């Protein structure tokens, strides 16, 4: 007799019934669903598990393809083993469970034997055995500790206005994490865009797990010897940043909102008058006519072209706000045309969805429809014609008043129709894509800059991501640093937070500290909300203005180094702002110093609250020079440093090679002298210095200048390899600054000898000796050895 009460339990992947070897891996059938293993590289297995008739091939995130025949298969009575040159995947037959080991059989990652992969209704989960001492890092824009052990998270892109420091989820989802245990590590990328859940031993002591509300269990297991190698694997799958326009990594000034045009020009002029470097003024929603995208408010901005031309003459680019909501209003071109071209999201009965946001009731383009993306892209012509090169994508979670986007909306998914349940998390990602690809077509070979709030794994291919509506207080400032550290672990190398805080009013010290940390972050923009106090670098009084000027100048001095870091990110996925877990994953102390990070390979930044005068810092292994006076500290220890608000704790690693330049007013300023700072150390070191024109895609046709700079303490030489690429560097002179060296006398370059001067100097050189207010002892100085030589693209060898 059938019972009238429905019983639901977890169904687990069962016994292997049959399997088949394919070119790409194996296909297997079990008593409770089937699986497929594919190899993407010697270090990457993809595992798909389903109860459907077929495997779902669709992904917006993954741009890599499986590799053919790079494994051997060993069939034993109780297991199948796939072996590559680097790892083994052991599949037990009854029940089917997966275990990744290294070639010696050491376990890297394994299914929880009792639980494995299982379904509860449509929801699918993979349970992994919690390894002894296992730590978990990653997941991108998530609050919580660097080590995520003991916590659980949800991926469901959300408009998180004024979020708290433990809130989850936020705006952008990247379901990728790295597990670390027994000196081994692996990455898991769960490529399923439905609402998903990660549990790293929260409320249990048995497993870590990842689940999705629906869809396929489809994940990539990435093995690597280092965190960097695993990030490289993840970004091999999901892509890397393209070189951003150089101006976009300069300082950007934003507020909600600058208007009218005169005000915008005044802000720009003030930067120049006050000698504070900057590259961008951002126009938030008030430039539009009644918040209608692709229009201009005729009163506030009667002649946008003239304003933009004037801004450009002052060395500023403009970034404009682009919201996805298109106002329902007959006669409004974007609305009429969008309806005609059938590009908006609809309910299943065919009625176009309306949601309410700034312009009133709106339709929303379906960015998962190629036709809608194309349509959206063509609309950027109007901006391009005005000379706008930057586009800011906001509210794309999708945010609407009420925040409960209906789940039955239809998303095209490139013609494979689906609903909000699968579409929500990729909406911002595909909006950024439409914007980037569309703008690129309109800009005649110039690089656009795109910034987005929502995103998903792979969004890094289309632009930068910022952390949304943060709040003006110290803990939120530090939270932003941790979010960017974590986003860097998940491919988003170009990320940042609103300097000064969006919600609420910053105070003097807070802004000063925030701008100094932001100057050493990938995406550097000051922003604040409507009706909050002014928050430009000069809005907090003279001392703060000086502090801001000094740190912004430091960033501009460091641009040759920073731009090279962006190049590295575009090649390997290595983030610009590097969580200490990348270089020091096994140093347990770093997990208690989660705010600290390396800015590139050599600059250690230790963010600290604005109201503290002293702080504890963990210096990782090696030796470190204090930025301000060159004092050397041994690593692998905690130290206490003073940290008055004008002295952010920053340390330079021994062996550092920092290509720098004199401070300039904006990134486009040309100067002919490369300043090469080298910090003495015991070991040889190197840095790949990269330059290109900063604005076009010609770098993709070798129009770059790339050279390896090496420092060899044993032979007492610094060499700059012959430049590769067609770009002719503007540098004519080379000034070297040797830090931490004894008096040298002279330096040889080819057959010439040049004198080396011993000078008193600080890397923080534009610094004025102001400081009456905070610190009577000035900023500190060190003795460095300085020589002025000739820069040439040929091999250069400097010795002493
Ligand atoms: O409902 O465009 O996060 O940076 O200034 C607020 C106005 C909409 C949210 C963004 C914020 C921006 C603001 N936007």
């Amino acid at each position: 007799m059938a019972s009238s009460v429905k019983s639901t339990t977890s169904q687990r992947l069962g016994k292997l019934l049959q399997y088949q070897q394919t070119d790409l891996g194996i296909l297997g059938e079990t008593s409770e669903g089937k699986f497929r293993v594919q190899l993407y590289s010697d270090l990457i297995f993809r595992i798909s598990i389903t109860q459907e008739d077929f495997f779902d091939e669709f992904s917006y995130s993954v741009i890599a393809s499986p590799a053919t025949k790079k494994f051997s298969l060993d069939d034993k009575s109780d297991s199948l083993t796939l072996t590559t040159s680097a790892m083994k995947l052991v599949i037990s037959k009854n029940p089917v469970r997966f275990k990744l080991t290294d070639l010696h059989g050491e376990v890297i990652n394994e299914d929880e034997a009792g639980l494995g992969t299982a379904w509860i209704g449509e929801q699918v989960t993979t349970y992994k055995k919690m390894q002894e001492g296992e730590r978990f890092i990653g997941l991108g824009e998530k609050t919580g500790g660097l080590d995520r052990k003991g916590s659980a998270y949800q991926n469901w892109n959300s408009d998180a206005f004024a979020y708290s420091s433990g809130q989850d989820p936020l705006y952008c989802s990247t379901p990728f994490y790295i597990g670390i245990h027994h000196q081994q590590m692996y990455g898991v990328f769960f490529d399923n865009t439905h609402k998903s859940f990660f549990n790293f031993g929260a409320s249990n002591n048995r497993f870590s797990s990842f689940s999705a509300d629906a869809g396929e269990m489809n994940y990539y297991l990435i093995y690597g010897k280092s965190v960097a190698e695993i990030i490289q694997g993840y970004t091999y799958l999901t892509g890397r940043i393209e070189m951003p326009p150089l101006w976009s990594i300069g300082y950007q000034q934003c507020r909600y909102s600058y208007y009218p045009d005169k005000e915008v020009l005044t802000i720009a002029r003030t930067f120049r008058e006050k000698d504070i470097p900057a590259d961008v003024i951002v126009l938030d929603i008030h430039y539009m006519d009644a918040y209608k995208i692709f229009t201009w408010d005729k009163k506030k901005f009667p002649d946008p072209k003239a304003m933009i031309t004037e801004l450009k003459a002052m060395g500023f680019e403009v970034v404009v706000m682009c919201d996805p909501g298109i106002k329902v209003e007959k006669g409004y071109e974007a609305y009429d045309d969008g309806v005609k071209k059938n590009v908006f999201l609809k309910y299943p009965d065919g009625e176009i969805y309306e949601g309410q946001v700034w312009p009133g009731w709106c339709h929303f383009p379906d960015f998962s429809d190629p036709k809608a993306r194309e349509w959206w892209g063509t609309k950027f012509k109007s901006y391009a014609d005005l000379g706008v090169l930057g586009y800011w994508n906001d509210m794309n979670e999708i945010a609407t008043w009420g925040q409960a986007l209906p789940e039955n909306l239809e998303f095209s998914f490139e013609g494979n129709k689906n609903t909000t349940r699968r579409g929500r998390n990729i909406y911002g990602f595909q909006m950024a894509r439409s914007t980037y690809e569309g703008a690129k077509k309109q800009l005649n070979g110039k690089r656009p800059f795109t910034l987005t709030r929502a995103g998903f794994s792979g969004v890094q291919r289309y632009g930068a991501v910022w952390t949304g509506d943060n709040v003006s207080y110290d803990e939120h400032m530090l939270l932003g640093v941790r979010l960017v550290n974590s986003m860097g672990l998940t491919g988003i190398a170009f990320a940042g937070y609103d300097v000064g805080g969006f919600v609420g009013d910053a105070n003097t010290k807070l802004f000063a500290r925030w701008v100094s940390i932001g100057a050493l972050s990938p995406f550097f923009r000051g922003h604040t909300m409507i009706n909050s106090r002014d928050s430009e670098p000069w809005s907090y009084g003279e001392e703060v203005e000086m502090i801001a000027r000094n740190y912004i100048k430091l960033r501009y001095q460091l641009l040759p180094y920073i731009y090279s870091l962006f190049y590295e990110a575009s090649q390997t996925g290595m983030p610009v702002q590097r969580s200490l877990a990348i270089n020091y994953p096994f140093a347990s102390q770093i997990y208690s110093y989660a705010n600290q990070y390396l800015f590139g390979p050599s600059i250690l930044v230790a963010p600290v609250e604005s109201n503290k005068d002293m702080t504890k810092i963990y210096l990782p292994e090696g030796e470190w020079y204090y930025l301000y006076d060159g004092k050397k500290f041994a690593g692998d220890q905690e130290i206490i440093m003073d940290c008055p608000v004008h002295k952010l704790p920053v340390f330079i690693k021994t062996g550092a090679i920092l290509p720098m330049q004199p401070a300039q007013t904006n990134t486009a300023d040309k100067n002919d002298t490369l300043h090469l700072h080298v910090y003495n150390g015991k070991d040889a070191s190197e840095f790949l210095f990269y330059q290109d024109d900063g604005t076009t895609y010609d770098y993709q046709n070798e129009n770059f200048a790339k050279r390896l700079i090496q420092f060899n303490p044993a032979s007492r030489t610094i060499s700059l390899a012959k430049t590769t690429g067609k770009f002719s560097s503007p540098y004519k002179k080379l000034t070297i600054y040797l830090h931490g060296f004894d008096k040298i006398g002279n330096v040889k370059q080819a057959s010439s000898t040049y004198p080396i001067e011993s000078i008193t100097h600080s890397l923080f050189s534009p610094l004025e000796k102001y400081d009456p207010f905070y610190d009577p002892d000035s900023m500190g100085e060190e003795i460095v050895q300085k020589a002025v030589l000739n820069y040439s693209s040929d091999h250069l060898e400097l010795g002493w």
Side-chain angles (χ1 to χ4, degrees), residues 223-505:
Y223 179 48
K225 291 274 177 228
S226 65
V227 173
E229 195 175 7
I230 292 169
I231 295 173
Q232 191 161 357
Y234 170 72
T235 54
Y236 169 73
L237 294 172
T238 62
R240 298 173 183 138
I241 64 165
E242 287 199 352
M243 283 310 287
L246 181 60
W247 58 263
S248 69
I249 64 175
Y251 179 67
Q252 306 199 12
Q253 184 63 54
C254 188
R255 97 155 284 151
Y256 170 18
S257 307
Y258 288 126
Y259 65 80
D261 48 4
K262 285 193 187 56
E263 165 78 0
V264 175
L265 290 165
T266 302
I267 296 287
R269 217 170 286 122
T270 309
F271 276 100
R272 297 299 177 245
E273 280 164 15
K274 293 188 172 289
D275 186 28
I276 299 173
D279 270 78
V280 177
I281 305 284
V282 185
L283 301 180
D284 205 331
I285 49 177
H286 289 93
Y287 78 86
M288 295 178 259
D289 170 28
Y291 308 122
K292 288 183 287 187
I293 181 165
F294 311 121
T295 70
W296 290 79
D297 183 313
K298 298 226 163 52
K299 282 216 189 75
K300 299 187 179 101
F301 296 91
D303 190 352
K305 175 106 195 178
M307 176 190 74
I308 291 164
T309 309
E310 204 174 331
L311 286 168
K312 283 186 191 258
M314 284 190 271
F316 282 91
E317 294 296 342
V318 171
V319 171
V320 295
M321 167 58 78
C322 307
D323 286 322
I326 307 265
K327 186 177 171 67
V328 175
E329 183 183 276
K330 287 223 165 64
Y332 165 36
E333 201 275 339
Y335 166 79
D336 290 338
D337 195 45
V339 171
K340 192 166 108 208
K341 304 262 167 68
N342 189 23
V343 299
F344 297 127
L345 287 173
K346 294 200 197 77
Y347 286 103
D349 63 0
E351 187 172 312
I352 304 180
Y353 166 66
E354 281 183 29
Q356 213 179 3
V357 62
W358 290 115
W361 291 100
C362 289
H363 293 333
F364 298 83
D366 177 3
F367 293 110
S368 75
D369 179 352
K371 170 174 82 198
R373 284 200 302 273
E374 179 72 33
W375 173 83
W376 177 259
T378 59
K379 299 284 173 220
F380 283 76
K381 181 162 189 317
S382 65
Y383 292 131
D385 287 347
L386 295 171
V388 176
L389 307 177
Y391 312 94
W392 176 16
N393 290 190
D394 187 18
M395 307 293 274
N396 49 4
E397 295 72 31
I398 301 171
T400 48
W401 304 159
Q403 300 294 357
L405 189 70
E407 298 216 340
N408 61 352
L409 301 182
E410 287 196 340
F411 283 66
S412 155
F413 268 84
E414 317 299 301
N416 309 295
K417 274 204 182 169
N418 218 296
T419 68
T420 308
R421 295 179 72 206
R422 191 175 184 178
R424 182 177 176 112
N425 278 339
I426 56 90
Y427 191 83
F429 173 21
Q430 293 305 301
M431 179 184 177
R433 171 187 178 183
S434 314
T435 305
Y436 184 68
E437 289 176 345
K440 201 166 160 177
K441 280 192 197 140
Q442 308 295 339
L443 291 180
N444 292 323
K446 280 204 175 139
R447 299 176 210 168
F449 165 68
T450 310
L451 175 68
T452 182
R453 194 168 73 174
F456 194 78
S457 295
V459 67
Q460 66 271 13
R461 307 198 295 265
Y462 305 116
V465 181
W466 103 105
T467 62
D469 298 338
N470 62 359
V471 191
S472 297
Y473 59 88
D474 278 291
E475 176 44 30
H476 227 288
M477 171 177 74
L478 299 179
L479 171 63
V481 170
R482 293 193 296 274
L483 292 176
V484 172
N485 284 348
S486 181
M487 289 157 90
L489 295 169
T490 60
I492 304 176
F494 197 5
Y497 35 77
D498 289 344
V499 166
F502 181 67
V503 183
D505 291 337

Side-chain angles (χ1 to χ4, degrees), residues 74-91:
D74 182 17
D75 186 346
K76 291 222 177 67
S77 61
D78 60 348
S79 67
L80 297 167
T81 300
L82 284 76
T83 305
T84 75
S85 66
M87 60 182 182
K88 289 172 189 283
L89 186 70
V90 185
I91 307 171

